[in-house]
Every structure is written in structure tokens, then in C-alpha cells.
Amino acid sequence: RDTDRSRGLGDVYKRQRYFSIIFVLCLTLSMVQAQQTSFVNPFIGTSDDHGQTDPSATIPFGMIKPGPETIPRGNGGYDYQSQQLKGFSQTRMSGVGCIGVGGNLLITPFVGTACKTLKMDKASETAIPGYYSVTLDNQLKVEITTGRTAAIYRFTYPATETAGIKINFKHSYGKHIAEEHSIIGDNAVKGFVRSACTCDLGSYKFYYYIEKDKSTYKPEDNDSELLWKFQTEPNEQIILKIGLSSVSAEEAEANLKKECSNQSFEQIRTNARIAWENLLGQIQVETSDEDLKTSFYTRLYHACQTPFTINDYSGSYKGSDGKVYKSQQLPYYHGWSIWDTYRTKYPLLSIVCPTEYKHMISSLAELYKQGKPRSATKAEPFLTTRTEHSIITILDALQKGMFDGSLDELLPLMLKEAEDISNDSPDKALERGYDFWGVSELAGKMGNKELKKEFSLRSKEYRPIWLQKFKDIGPTSDIMHGDGLYEGTIWQYRWFVPHDFDWVIATLGSKKKVLSELDYFFENNLFNMGNQPDIHVPFLYYYLGAPWKTQKLVRQILLEPTTNYYGTHEKWEKPYIGKIFNTTPQGYLKEMDDDAGTMSSWFVLSSIGLFPVCPGIPYYWINAPVFDTVTLHPTSQQEFKIHVNRPDAECIYIQKAILNGKVLNRSWLSYNEIMQGGDLTLELGKLPNKHWGHNTDFIKSLFKLSLIHISE
């Protein structure tokens, strides 16, 4: 018996040893996984008008985004400088301008009176991916975490006889239009809210179901406000859950139960963090500069807030036409800001999360079938802003092999949209030409030669306006909104003809002349990184055979103090001299909105050394990364690694490029080359190598798929 007992104990010790090894391995794995989220600071860009981001709890592309509502607030409901809170709302769109969109279902926990403004203990405020918490001056602690369509609040109260929770159904950033709610027993409420979209253009309507976990006094229903009152013991916790749906309150309840019924607050919080780790881990960067890493991963995090996945777990969702559809087990995305995001964000997402990106493009195609306007309809199923340049976005996906839909069905809808594009200002004429080029390219993909030719010619209709307004630069060319331009100057919009830049070169006379004028543009601080119209311009040197100029300039914009004269609407008398991208709550230039991740995506792409040549053409310029190593995981089977050999910090110019063991003299990579995986080694030096990437024969070969032909 003693021998048997010894054997038994030996087995126990073995099992304990195995469990210990497994525990250590799991702990080590969790530490490795935590590397990316530990470098995310959601407070970056949340102060005043320096980004308009927010610290809400969220998962990648999640529908619900519960977070704090400060007094005063930013466009996403929050201003880091504020000390006071109105409560916590459930919807918002990161980084947008105007008055913002969302701010619905304001929840205010209270001790004493429900009307008292809440004061924060700022030192207690915490925000990490998937989690937000703050302690109030009345010792009430608020914690929030979230799933995709449902969120969970954990309120920890002090001992009091007058505790409670107030829900304001009318609260909204834009115009409140309507709401209905029904109380269910003592602990639940359901209904819908309808509010105006950004800048009060169009409107959205969604449904909700809210429940809490403990019985209370009978709720008070006071004209679009609900009060739950109760007594609490010391450190007593109240759990509140919220589910959303674009279809019905019943679907909202089902979504809530799917995500929150069988999981604790901590389990949901862990799931949210894992979701972010999985996404952020698609790009791994190595550098000894932890501040740079924080800037990088926070901006990648901000790039992946929208669009929202709004389909219910049953597969249903409501379209922008007000009809109910089924997503057939595929996610349906909604919440667009394409005038901004087509430039950088979608080219980034096509690399970082190609599966999700492909579904986004499919959802955008579905939007056309629902009668897609250029702005929001009056029957939107959820928050959204604008959809100009969807033609270019879908073309870019098609060129990358990431669109499986029917062009036969889609192109007529795009033609209708193209015919309705406004031409009543110089900037709109330029942008319309780009969209017409997109139609021409799509027609070519279908083999429709006549339509391709027609829209190829129409894509050049902007030229007389360019000659009149943009060719000769004068003393008024740096006036914001000059000649009716939208948030830009003649100088800044001048370069926005990516589909026809060879004509600009020929019209100005030569590449040498364009180089001179481009140098003048940057040397005299006429560039505006704070808005979208000219954010591609630093890379135009590649077209001109002078990529080393881009390499120096982009590094300065990313990392160094620069002189900046422009806000969104005016040129400042006194410039801001400092870094554009910071890791403080003032994360951007004054008046620089992140615009649904557009500016964050510019930072991410530029910093890893891959920037889209021209959305609609599936290639990326090779720039000098600011990191030592960049590893992309475009698929679970593939890895694309960029090795940067930089002898010292002053080595910023590409001397030599080696792709998969072979010398690469061209200055671009195709999307397929990146997605297939491989190794790119970049040798950097202190002085420009004016021979690398200079040969325009390579650039000409790049554009064989398009209408662009670079002029000598």
C-alpha cells in the first residue's frame, strides 16, 4: 500500500509539474500577447481640438462604444482637460469633425441627487483597449467593458440610502429627433432612439435593451428620463448591461444575451483585450524608442475603430434604405467617412486585416444597392457621415483581388452616382475627375471599351479649371477657402490630380520645374498636415525621380518639430512650431481631426515605409521606416518582414533595397508582393543615393495597368 501510495503521489507531483509548466507557458504567452496593447494610450488625441478621439471601451470595429461624457466635451463626447462628467453614453465615431455623431443613451450613476454634476478623480482615470474606469468624488467607481454589440458596466457604490442610475434617452451630439422606451418590470427597459448624423445631415435610428442585475424600487419614468433608485452597502456592486441592434429591441436583447449572459465582467474584459492583441499583432515593430512605439500602436488602434459591424447575431441588419436584410453569416459594416479614409485607412486595412477589409468592401457594394447617397440618408441604421470616393475605394479593392461582387450589377449604380457629382467649385472639379478615372478603370475591367474611353476623356474635364485656378500661383494662393475651396488653399489642392499627374508635369514644363515648385511649397510651409487635401503631397517626389526628398521630409513630419501655419479653416498669423504627432492628450496639431483614423493611418503607413501610390492602383511606395524592424502578418500563413540597416540615427536615406535576396532598384512594391510574404532589406545612409528609385522606366512599368503615363 505504501508503494502504491508513493506511486500515486508521484503521479500527483508529475501532474502538478506539468500544470506548472503549462501555467508558465500560458503566462509567458499572455505577456507576449500583451506587448501591443500595453503600448496603446487611448487618451492620445482627446484634449481640446487636437484629434477628437475618445477613451471609450471598444473592440475592433465594434458597434457599441461606451465612454465618458465630459463638460465641456469634444466631438466624441470627451475632453481630457475636463474635470466634470454628465455621465456615460454608448455611441460615438472616433475623430470626426463638425459636432460629432452619437452620444446616445446617457447613463449617469449617482449618490444623493440625480441632478448633481459628477466630478472625476483624474488620477484614477484609466483607459486601455476594451476597458475604461474612473472613480468619482462621491467614491462611486465606474468600470466599463464591451463586446461587439453589447456593453457591461460595473458600478461600485459606497454605503448610502440614496444611490441610483439615471438614463437620458434624448441625449445626442447632433439634433435629437425621436425616442420611445418601454419599462420591463423593475430592472429592464427597451426602445429606440433617432438622432441626426454629423453636421445634422441625415439621421440614424437604432434599438436598445438595458437591464441591471439587482431589484430596486419601482423605476421612475420622467419625460425621456428613467430613474432607478436603491440603497447600497459599502463597496456594493451593481451590474448594468446594454445591447444594441439596428433592427429591433428584441434583437438588441438577443445580442446582449449572446455576448454577456454567460460571462463575467472580467471575462468580457479579457476577450476585448485579446481581440485587440490579435489585430494589433498583425504589425510588429521593433525599436528602443518606447514613445515611438506608443505613438504607433495607439494610431493603429485608432485606425480600427470604424466602420462598425452592425449585423445582429441572427444575421439581420437594417440598410440605409430602412429595409431589413440578412448578412448570411458574414459581418455587415456601416459607419463611413470615405472622403477622408479612402486615402490612407483602407489601403492600410487591406494589409493589416484583409479578411475584415474584404467584408467592408462587400458592405460598401451593398450600400450602392440601397441607394447610396454621398452623405447620410434619413434612414441610416447607425452612425455614419459621408461616402464620397467609394468608387475609388472599390476599384482599389478590385485591383487587389479583394472584391468578389458583380460589376455588372454595381457599375450602373456607380455611373448614376458619378453623374450626380458636383462640379461647382475648383476642388470638386478635381475630385470628380479622379472619380471619373475610377469609373473608366472599372469599365475597362469589364471589357467595356466605349465606357472606358468615355470616362477616360471625362476624367480630364477638370483641366481647364486647373489651368485657370491652379497653374499660375499668386499672392492669394495660400488663403483657406479661397475660390470656394473646401478646407484648403489653391496651393494645397493644386496637387490633387493623382490620376493625371503626368499632365500636370507636362503643363508646368518639366520635372525640374515641378521639383522646384514642390520644394517651394514645403520650404515656405504651405503644406497642411492638419487636413486631408494634400497629405499625399510629400510622396509626389517619387513620381519625379527624387524619392530621397520624400525620405527626409516624411521623417521630419513623423518625428521632428516642424512649422505649421494652417488650421481647418484659416491660416494662423503665428505658426505652431513643434511635433505634429505627439503621445500626449494633445496628440495632433490644433484643429487636426483624426477623421475616423485617416491621420492615424497616414502615420502608420509612413512609419513602416509603405505608402499607397494612388488609391485605385495596387502599389505602395517604399519609404525608409522609422523602426529597426517591421513584421507584417497579412495572413496566418504569410509574413512580410522589413529589415532596416541603419548604422546610426543620421542614416535616413535608402542606399540599397534587397527583396527576397535580389537587388531591387524600383521604389515600389505591389500589394501582391506584400501579401505573399517575404523579406525586404533596406540599407540606409547619411547622404541621399540619387540613383536608387530614380529610373522612371520602372515607374512607367508600374502604371501599365492604369491611364497614368509618367512624362519624361
Side-chain angles (χ1 to χ4, degrees):
R1 283 197 294 267
D2 287 340
T3 302
D4 291 339
R5 183 173 179 272
S6 298
R7 288 174 180 170
L9 286 173
D11 291 338
V12 170
Y13 293 146
K14 284 181 181 179
R15 287 196 297 273
Q16 288 178 339
R17 186 166 65 249
Y18 294 151
F19 289 146
S20 297
I21 292 171
I22 292 170
F23 175 78
V24 170
L25 288 172
C26 291
L27 183 61
T28 302
L29 179 60
S30 69
M31 290 173 66
V32 171
Q33 288 180 328
Q35 287 181 353
Q36 277 75 48
T37 53
S38 65
F39 285 103
V40 174
N41 179 0
F43 291 115
I44 291 174
T46 63
S47 179
D48 193 23
D49 194 4
H50 291 269
Q52 299 292 353
T53 58
D54 62 82
S56 61
T58 181
I59 68 166
F61 312 114
M63 181 180 185
I64 192 166
K65 296 187 183 295
E69 292 285 323
T70 61
I71 307 171
R73 66 170 181 84
N75 291 345
Y78 180 87
D79 186 337
Y80 186 82
Q81 300 178 91
S82 302
Q83 304 288 324
Q84 296 181 322
L85 286 175
K86 286 192 290 185
F88 305 87
S89 66
Q90 318 314 311
T91 58
R92 52 191 36 84
M93 200 165 179
S94 178
V96 300
C98 203
I99 57 174
V101 60
N104 305 110
L105 299 176
L106 183 70
I107 291 175
T108 306
F110 62 88
V111 173
T113 174
C115 300
K116 186 179 178 181
T117 299
L118 306 177
K119 293 184 179 180
M120 292 187 285
D121 173 9
K122 288 293 288 187
S124 73
E125 192 177 29
T126 301
I128 61 175
Y131 175 80
Y132 174 87
S133 73
V134 66
T135 299
L136 309 176
D137 66 343
N138 56 16
Q139 302 306 306
L140 196 162
K141 183 177 181 180
V142 180
E143 297 174 275
I144 317 172
T145 191
T146 184
R148 180 177 68 82
T149 63
I152 180 169
Y153 284 75
R154 183 164 65 189
F155 302 114
T156 303
Y157 285 86
T160 179
E161 294 183 356
T162 55
I165 296 171
K166 178 175 70 172
I167 304 176
N168 182 336
F169 301 109
K170 284 186 176 181
H171 191 267
S172 174
Y173 301 147
K175 178 182 176 183
H176 169 72
I177 298 173
E179 71 86 12
E180 287 184 9
H181 63 275
S182 301
I183 297 172
I184 305 166
D186 292 338
N187 292 332
V189 61
K190 67 179 181 179
F192 74 81
V193 294
R194 186 179 173 212
S195 303
C197 290
T198 309
C199 305
D200 286 342
L201 296 174
S203 64
Y204 61 91
K205 176 183 177 181
F206 69 89
Y207 300 81
Y208 62 87
Y209 182 88
I210 304 173
E211 67 179 21
K212 59 182 183 55
D213 65 341
K214 293 183 180 179
S215 295
T216 61
Y217 302 117
K218 185 180 176 72
E220 298 177 15
D221 189 0
N222 302 317
D223 185 30
S224 299
E225 282 191 351
L226 177 70
L227 281 179
W228 275 311
K229 294 181 179 179
F230 42 85
Q231 299 176 356
T232 52
E233 300 295 327
N235 296 317
E236 183 172 348
Q237 292 184 339
I238 302 291
I239 298 294
L240 187 78
K241 300 175 183 179
I242 305 172
L244 304 184
S245 168
S246 67
V247 174
S248 69
E250 290 70 30
E251 290 280 14
E253 181 181 6
N255 291 339
L256 184 152
K257 295 188 182 307
K258 177 72 175 180
E259 292 187 359
C260 295
S261 283
N262 299 317
Q263 296 189 84
S264 67
F265 183 96
E266 294 302 335
Q267 287 172 321
I268 295 170
R269 177 182 173 180
T270 298
N271 292 341
R273 185 153 186 169
I274 289 173
W276 279 114
E277 290 294 352
N278 290 339
L279 179 57
L280 299 176
Q282 296 301 103
I283 306 182
Q284 295 172 331
V285 295
E286 295 178 20
T287 176
S288 59
D289 187 341
E290 292 200 354
D291 192 62
L292 177 58
K293 243 181 162 178
T294 295
S295 188
F296 177 84
Y297 281 111
T298 302
R299 297 183 204 284
L300 180 56
Y301 167 82
H302 281 147
C304 298
Q305 301 288 312
T306 55
F308 314 107
T309 42
I310 69 165
N311 50 293
D312 298 323
Y313 282 91
S314 67
S316 61
Y317 65 90
K318 194 169 285 186
S320 296
D321 56 2
K323 298 178 181 178
V324 176
Y325 296 85
K326 282 281 187 178
S327 63
Q328 298 177 341
Q329 308 307 312
L330 294 178
Y332 180 76
Y333 287 83
H334 185 78
W336 309 102
S337 182
I338 298 178
W339 186 88
D340 312 296
T341 52
Y342 84 96
R343 307 165 194 266
T344 56
K345 177 169 166 172
Y346 289 103
L348 171 64
L349 297 183
S350 70
I351 296 173
V352 174
C353 47
T355 300
E356 290 83 353
Y357 167 78
K358 194 171 184 178
H359 294 153
M360 292 172 193
I361 299 302
S362 295
S363 299
L364 192 55
E366 289 299 315
L367 190 61
Y368 272 98
K369 301 171 189 176
Q370 298 164 16
K372 182 190 88 66
R374 295 174 65 78
S375 190
T377 72
K378 294 183 179 180
E380 297 292 350
F382 205 60
L383 322 182
T384 193
T385 60
R386 51 199 300 184
T387 60
E388 300 103 316
H389 303 304
S390 299
I391 292 169
I392 299 296
T393 304
I394 290 177
L395 170 63
D396 199 49
L398 183 69
Q399 297 275 39
K400 293 172 178 176
M402 300 297 284
F403 175 62
D404 296 332
S406 169
L407 281 182
D408 289 333
E409 183 179 13
L410 197 58
L411 190 58
L413 301 173
M414 289 182 167
L415 286 173
K416 182 178 182 299
E417 179 185 39
E419 294 296 345
D420 292 337
I421 296 174
S422 174
N423 192 32
D424 59 2
S425 65
D427 55 314
K428 290 179 181 177
L430 271 57
E431 293 189 28
R432 187 176 75 155
Y434 190 18
D435 281 329
F436 283 177
W437 169 80
V439 172
S440 175
E441 289 293 283
L442 288 166
K445 288 288 183 181
M446 293 180 62
N448 190 330
K449 294 181 180 180
E450 289 186 7
L451 192 62
K452 176 180 172 66
K453 182 178 179 180
E454 176 191 346
F455 274 87
S456 174
L457 293 172
R458 295 186 67 182
S459 73
K460 301 173 179 64
E461 289 175 350
Y462 78 92
R463 288 179 176 181
I465 297 173
W466 195 94
L467 289 169
Q468 179 186 359
K469 298 291 185 180
F470 298 98
K471 183 177 184 293
D472 297 319
I473 293 297
T476 61
S477 297
D478 67 342
I479 297 176
M480 293 293 286
H481 298 289
D483 286 286
L485 301 177
Y486 177 76
E487 297 182 355
T489 68
I490 289 291
W491 262 114
Q492 291 156 15
Y493 269 103
R494 186 187 199 210
W495 313 103
F496 192 72
V497 282
H499 67 290
D500 200 24
F501 195 61
D502 61 318
W503 178 82
V504 172
I505 296 170
T507 302
L508 291 177
S510 67
K511 288 185 180 179
K512 184 177 180 180
K513 179 70 162 42
V514 178
L515 277 169
S516 174
E517 297 201 10
L518 209 55
D519 287 343
Y520 182 91
F521 178 71
F522 287 108
E523 290 167 2
N524 289 274
N525 306 306
L526 297 162
F527 171 65
N528 182 13
M529 189 62 222
N531 212 346
Q532 284 79 40
D534 62 347
I535 59 173
H536 65 294
V537 179
F539 289 88
L540 292 185
Y541 285 113
Y542 276 81
Y543 288 90
L544 303 169
W548 66 89
K549 289 180 176 283
T550 293
Q551 291 156 26
K552 179 180 180 180
L553 179 60
V554 168
R555 185 178 182 85
Q556 289 174 336
I557 295 170
L558 288 169
L559 303 179
E560 300 172 14
T562 58
T563 300
N564 303 272
Y565 272 98
Y566 298 93
T568 302
H569 298 290
E570 63 181 355
K571 183 176 182 180
W572 304 317
E573 289 186 13
K574 184 179 179 180
Y576 163 76
I577 301 175
K579 291 179 64 176
I580 294 173
F581 297 94
N582 296 289
T583 53
T584 65
Q586 292 184 328
Y588 297 86
L589 291 175
K590 179 74 173 177
E591 299 183 26
M592 179 176 172
D593 300 331
D594 191 36
D595 279 322
T598 300
M599 298 310 198
S600 287
S601 299
W602 190 97
F603 182 95
V604 171
L605 288 164
S606 300
S607 68
I608 65 174
L610 297 171
F611 196 85
V613 169
C614 168
I617 301 174
Y619 296 89
Y620 294 76
W621 295 124
I622 302 169
N623 192 40
V626 298
F627 301 104
D628 301 325
T629 305
V630 176
T631 306
L632 305 173
H633 300 278
T635 68
S636 58
Q637 293 82 29
Q638 304 296 340
E639 175 181 283
F640 187 85
K641 196 158 191 172
I642 305 173
H643 309 269
V644 182
N645 293 335
R646 182 185 292 109
D648 59 53
E650 295 180 2
C651 296
I652 64 173
Y653 298 103
I654 297 175
Q655 306 294 304
K656 185 179 181 181
I658 301 171
L659 179 64
N660 299 327
K662 296 181 180 179
V663 173
L664 186 71
N665 290 318
R666 53 181 161 91
S667 55
W668 49 268
L669 290 173
S670 72
Y671 177 75
N672 286 337
E673 284 177 315
I674 298 169
M675 300 304 284
Q676 288 169 3
D679 288 273
L680 176 66
T681 298
L682 299 175
E683 305 280 352
L684 303 188
K686 294 183 180 180
L687 299 175
N689 176 0
K690 297 184 179 181
H691 298 287
W692 183 82
H694 172 71
N695 190 337
T696 56
D697 288 339
F698 288 106
I699 301 177
K700 284 181 178 179
S701 67
L702 168 63
F703 292 109
K704 283 182 179 178
L705 292 176
S706 75
L707 298 175
I708 300 177
H709 301 285
I710 299 298
S711 300
E712 291 295 341

